[in-house]
Structures are given as structure tokens and as C-alpha cells.
């Protein structure tokens, strides 16, 4: 997996990591803060954070002693852009279907009216 | 991975599968149709389709001879709902920050004005 979008989707394919992201959307947090509600080791939490970090979803301050984890909200735009593109295509597809159905209905009505007239 | 949202994110963490979904958003397609543009075996394509099917993203007709693959667009709502929830939380966080900053600015202005008045 080389592309970032794949890494973002893969990073979010885990309920614990999604929960971490949800909590980081409320406030920055240290690894200790993040580990508190889960029944897992600090090492396991660090591993999850590394996956989120490699996807670009979170960043950690190199300077600060507490090294709080910060959510990189702009990365969500990648996913939104992808979903939006899909939505547009699906909508266009349905618009075309509607147009075809409208055409069929009109043609059928015309044929029926012509039949009645003759 | 038991929950569907994890399966959906995992299914989309692959560029070939995302490309298949994009194409299926335009029209239903057979396995043969889907395999055509890729330099992979039909077997590899079937494997990708199985992952998408298990995530509930696509379905295949059991009856029809061609068994076209159909995109289950409503599954995207799961992701949209999750992203939307995150967005709301992030927005609320920034609204609170704005309120705090506005409060600080007002207090500072008041203090400065008081200082000028005395």
C-alpha cells in the first residue's frame, strides 16, 4: 500500500483507531490519556498511533515533553473528496436513468394517443 | 474484524477495489467487464469482489446467467455518518475555541479601556 488514501482507509478499518480519532477530534491527548479507557497496553496504543501517524491522520509534537497527539483534520478531505466523486457519478447515473424513463413514458403516451386518434 | 464499518474501510483500503467501486457507481458490470482494464487474473478480480461483497458494498444476482455485480450505494451512508459525526465534534470544538478567544479578546479590550480611563 503506497497511496495515502489506501493508508487512511486501512487506518480507519479498526474500531479502536476510529475511537481514538473520534476522541482526538474533541481535544489533543497524550498516549497515556488515549490508553486510559482501553484494556490494552501502552505499547498496543503506540502501535495504533503509529498506523494513524503513517496515514497522516495524526501528528505528534517533537518538542513538547508530553508530546500530545494532534488530529490532522484536513486528511479527512481525501476521503470526503473520494466519496463525493462517487456520489456525483451515482447521481449522474440516476439522472440519466430518469431521463430515459421520462423519454419512454413520453413515447408510450404519444403512441397511445396516436392509436386513439386513428 | 466483526463490525461492518471496519469491513467497509478495509475493503476500500485498496486502489483496485476503489476503482471497481467507482466503475460500478456508473453501471452494473460482470466479473469479465470488471477484469478487462486490469492486468490481473479473473481469479484475483473475484477475490477483490468477495472482499467488497463481504463488506456489503456490492451484491451479485444469484438468478441471472451473467450475474452482474451491483453497487449497494446505501453502505456509503455508514462512512458518511461516521465522518459527519467527527466533523460535528471538530466543529463544536472550534466553536468552543472561538468563544474562548472572543471572551479573551473582550476581556483584554475591557481591561485596556479601563486602563485608559483611569
Amino acid at each position: 500500500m503506497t497511496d495515502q488514501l489506501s493508508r487512511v482507509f486501512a487506518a480507519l478499518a479498526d474500531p479502536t483507531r476510529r475511537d481514538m480519532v473520534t476522541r482526538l477530534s474533541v481535544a489533543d491527548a497524550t498516549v497515556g490519556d488515549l490508553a486510559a479507557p482501553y484494556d490494552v497496553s501502552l505499547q498496543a496504543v503506540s502501535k495504533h498511533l503509529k498506523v494513524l501517524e503513517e496515514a497522516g491522520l495524526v501528528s505528534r509534537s517533537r518538542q513538547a515533553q508530553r508530546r500530545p497527539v494532534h488530529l490532522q483534520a484536513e486528511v479527512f478531505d481525501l476521503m470526503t473528496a473520494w466519496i463525493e466523486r462517487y456520489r456525483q457519478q451515482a447521481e449522474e447515473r440516476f439522472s440519466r436513468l430518469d431521463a430515459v424513463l421520462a423519454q419512454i413514458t413520453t413515447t408510450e403516451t404519444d403512441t397511445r394517443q396516436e392509436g386513439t386518434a386513428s
Side-chain angles (χ1 to χ4, degrees), chain A:
Chain A
M1 285 192 304
T2 48
D3 67 299
Q4 194 186 4
L5 192 49
S6 293
R7 286 198 300 269
V8 173
F9 276 120
L12 296 174
D14 179 279
T16 305
R17 287 197 293 267
R18 281 200 306 279
D19 193 55
M20 285 177 173
V21 166
T22 306
R23 287 165 58 209
L24 289 169
S25 77
V26 182
D28 290 0
T30 62
V31 180
D33 295 337
L34 284 171
Y38 310 120
D39 192 21
V40 291
S41 65
L42 272 180
Q43 203 184 355
V45 169
S46 292
K47 211 170 164 185
H48 280 312
L49 275 177
K50 206 183 164 199
V51 176
L52 291 170
E53 208 169 354
E54 284 172 353
L57 277 163
V58 305
S59 64
R60 295 183 68 185
S61 168
R62 299 279 163 210
Q63 286 79 37
Q65 195 69 29
R66 290 171 70 246
R67 296 193 66 206
V69 182
H70 176 75
L71 186 68
Q72 297 291 339
E74 63 277 12
V75 174
F76 277 82
D77 295 343
L78 271 179
M79 280 197 302
T80 315
W82 189 82
I83 296 171
E84 209 41 57
R85 203 187 321 156
Y86 142 78
R87 281 209 183 280
Q88 276 185 6
Q89 280 182 322
E91 268 168 30
E92 281 167 23
R93 178 186 183 180
F94 292 125
S95 300
R96 282 199 303 273
L97 273 176
D98 280 348
V100 168
L101 285 174
Q103 185 69 43
I104 291 169
T105 311
T106 310
T107 313
E108 274 183 355
T109 310
D110 289 354
T111 313
R112 214 171 299 145
Q113 280 173 344
E114 277 168 26
T116 313
S118 66

